[in-house]
Amino acid sequence: MKRVMILIAAIAMALAATAAMAEQSVYVPAYSHIYYGDKPSKILLTTTLSIRNTDPAKNLTLHKVEYRNGQGKLLKNFTKDPVLIQPFAAVRFVVPENDTEGGSGASFIVIWSAAGKLNKPVIQAVMIGATANQGISFICDAVAIPQLK
């Protein structure tokens, strides 16, 4: 009976520790350029990754923000140290228009965590560009993926 009680206590502590931490890995599509016309021609884009903490009371911690090209190769790690985002605050990471390494299949990988339950953050890539008299802007939302480390 004593062993069963110890086992139950250990399971309860493990569940409490799991519930005490929210964490998620997300994939965010991005584009350093897009194609248009019959030729096709390219429009170069500036890409801004926007991460917004929507929780009114809890901090959000970014552990990893990576920028990858269309073949999945890591191009830039934006976070050497964890980044703290306070309640209702936002951070941004910018890939300039002249950085075309990512290509039309670029992406960001973001890993975040928080102590306890947290409102889901808003994570989006915002692309904008212009050529001649034509301008374009659009967003891509983050998609949850299996937890990475």
Side-chain angles (χ1 to χ4, degrees), residues 46-65:
T46 300
T47 303
T48 303
L49 177 69
S50 175
I51 303 172
R52 299 165 182 262
N53 182 357
T54 64
D55 200 280
K58 294 192 177 117
N59 292 329
L60 173 78
T61 302
L62 298 178
H63 298 283
K64 186 180 288 189
V65 176

Side-chain angles (χ1 to χ4, degrees), residues 119-132:
N119 289 347
K120 183 179 174 185
V122 174
I123 303 174
Q124 298 173 312
V126 181
M127 280 69 55
I128 187 166
T131 185

